[in-house]
Amino acid sequence: MKYEIKITKTQNPKAKPDPVSLGFGDVFTDHMFIMDYDEGEGWHDARIVPYAPICLDPAASVLHYAQEMFEGMKTYKSVDGLKLFRPDMNAKRTAQTNDRLCIPHVDEGFYVDAIRALIDVDRDWVPGREGTSLYIRPFIIATEPFLGVRPSGSYKFIIILSPVGPYYKEGLAPTRIFVEDEYTRAAPGGTGCAKVGGNYAASLKSQMKAHSLGFTQVLWLDGVERKYVEEIGTSNAFFVMGGEVWTAPLDGTILPGITRDSVITLLRDWGVLVREERFTIEEVFAAHDSGRLSEIFASGTAAVISPVGELRWKGRGITVGGGSIGELSQRLYDTITGIQSGRLPDTHGWTVDL
Ligand code: COI
């Protein structure tokens, strides 16, 4: 499928932020990509326009029944130009999420082309400072003004860009994680494996609870027995126990993270045994008590690798790895960001030059 992208450039470029003080997701570039979908016509009118608010009917179904999806990826300034990290995986995951949410399919090749075209227009916005990047947020919303519950007949696919620094204010310093045993993130047959805003809305209550208790984020347990370890905050979770690395399997309640996949591939390259199997929070605490728990880390596009220094469950707190970043966490962070920024060889063909 071939679409033409019409480009209208801004007449009022904004001042770029100071890269030293970049946080996560609060500054946006000069342009955005938009494409519309209408039943009978398909996707049409692909365009890049100045970044601006969008106009929605108050009855638009996304505002009532949350028929929407989003993605996240990053582009990095490398020694030899700009690079995207595994954009084909984001396109594929978008297709899977769209299928789950009854959102019309977007051609996967065009999806990546649209991202490339937008970054090309705003390429001066990619920060170069160590630890910074340009975060790419594609999303699709249902726009039909209709209060009945059924898939919308019209949609907007939008891409916005945000120069970012670290996701957690801790940066690479270990986080404090609270094990959530009241609320859950996902249930079998639900939308845990899809990248939909509703999952994140439902997680806010726990996040606020964790913050009020002085923790950075929560660790999610399974939605049936509340004993199997699933994810940490908005990220996949890894546990180094007895020299093996454990992470929850992709059984429908876990987001198939692109960083998760990269972590597993690298660990296996290095000869580390990775177990994608169910394991309980009790096993994690038992591993700590017997001295076999050496590291816990979260992985995601936003944070890349985020080490955990403390875990609290049912009133009991444990310190992980002496409260410092572990050897594997540091090596994974250095290797993934090294490949993303072109400092290290990309032996798996993960990066795409822009
Ligand atoms: C990611 O790390 O990939 C995320 O999804 C975080 C995002 C919700 C800010």
Side-chain angles (χ1 to χ4, degrees), residues 24 70 135 137 167 195 200 234-235 300-303:
F24 185 88
F70 73 92
Y135 186 77
R137 169 54 60 88
Y167 183 70
K195 195 104 174 131
Y200 296 77
T234 62
S235 306
T301 298

Side-chain angles (χ1 to χ4, degrees), residues 225-297:
E225 297 175 71
R226 286 182 179 66
K227 65 178 196 181
Y228 295 103
V229 169
E230 296 219 320
E231 299 192 356
I232 292 179
T234 62
S235 306
N236 297 120
F238 290 84
F239 294 74
V240 187
M241 298 189 283
E244 298 173 350
V245 180
W246 292 70
T247 193
L250 299 181
D251 61 1
T253 57
I254 304 293
L255 190 80
I258 292 150
T259 313
R260 174 189 185 278
D261 183 83
S262 310
V263 162
I264 292 172
T265 304
L266 288 171
L267 288 172
R268 289 185 175 149
D269 283 356
W270 300 338
V272 178
L273 185 66
V274 182
R275 290 185 182 274
E276 294 179 74
E277 289 168 35
R278 294 185 101 192
F279 58 101
T280 64
I281 188 69
E282 232 167 66
E283 289 175 80
V284 172
F285 274 70
H288 167 269
D289 294 345
S290 62
R292 287 178 304 112
L293 175 69
S294 48
E295 294 181 46
I296 302 177
F297 60 90

